[in-house]
Amino acid sequence: MAKVDTVVVIDDAIIASEAGKMSDYASVGELPFVKKVILSYAAKFIIQVQKNLIKANKTDTGRLETEIQQGDLIKADGSYLIDIGYLKTSEAAKYYDLVNKGVKGFYSGSPNSPYSFKSAYPSMNGPMVTAIQKWVKRNALAQRKETQKFNLSGLQKKRKSVAQLNTGRTTAYLIARKIKQRGLPKTGFFDNAIDEVFNEQFYAKMAKAVGGDVRVYIKQATSLINDENK
């Protein structure tokens, strides 16, 4: 039987650049069950990303959870294509891969990350210190609104700890300096979701649906590090 390539593209840049071209591709009405399986697993992937973020206690503004999305399922040259990720124009696209892969500190931390801080000290008036000061204030405010006292989640415990900090700029600077020197730990919230969802079960279902071998290609665009860290 004919081989059908299932192409799953996870790429924030592709979602943006291909959006205007989707009308050029043929309809995918020929294999409705295949379409159903792919769309189902795309949705599972998004849910798994969100679960991984919660497990890693990386919920803050909520952008990483809410801005991930999937595009339309399209067919081109016998292959199926679906975009899953962050729009290039979204705020989350600017930093999701830093949270995902981590950032190597100037002195230590996340040695296998493609990203690294190029200096050990932030600028007191720079964007990094400003962002961290806002983060401290957000968590302090969230903690003040918290009514739960027992069986706290990891995020609730972190907010409780952060709420005890001074919200001034000096505190933010000290946190930023520590991050620059020690880096940001890898969470793998995005990469791990790929392995957790597009696994043997997925391949088995697709092979059964199309009556032949299936190949999945996963492309992932890289994100830029903050201008301060270049």
Side-chain angles (χ1 to χ4, degrees), residues 73-116:
L73 178 63
I74 59 179
K75 183 181 180 182
D77 301 324
S79 298
Y80 287 87
L81 176 89
I82 186 166
D83 299 324
I84 318 171
Y86 299 97
L87 284 170
K88 190 176 181 180
T89 54
S90 72
E91 286 297 315
K94 299 176 182 178
Y95 63 88
Y96 87 94
D97 208 36
L98 304 182
V99 178
N100 176 46
K101 292 185 170 66
V103 182
K104 184 179 180 180
F106 191 76
Y107 297 128
S108 63
S110 300
N112 296 322
S113 173
Y115 309 110
S116 62

Side-chain angles (χ1 to χ4, degrees), residues 19-92:
K21 302 178 183 178
M22 290 195 175
S23 60
D24 298 336
Y25 293 106
S27 170
V28 289
E30 301 91 338
L31 292 172
F33 183 70
V34 172
K35 178 179 179 179
K36 181 179 179 181
V37 172
I38 296 173
L39 291 174
S40 171
Y41 273 80
K44 286 182 179 180
F45 176 80
I46 291 175
I47 291 172
Q48 189 62 50
V49 164
Q50 294 167 337
K51 286 181 178 179
N52 289 350
L53 283 166
I54 293 172
K55 185 178 179 180
N57 296 326
K58 290 300 178 180
T59 300
D60 182 22
T61 62
R63 291 194 183 104
L64 291 178
E65 293 177 78
T66 61
E67 292 186 4
I68 187 170
Q69 56 185 278
Q70 67 186 62
D72 295 330
L73 178 63
I74 59 179
K75 183 181 180 182
D77 301 324
S79 298
Y80 287 87
L81 176 89
I82 186 166
D83 299 324
I84 318 171
Y86 299 97
L87 284 170
K88 190 176 181 180
T89 54
S90 72
E91 286 297 315

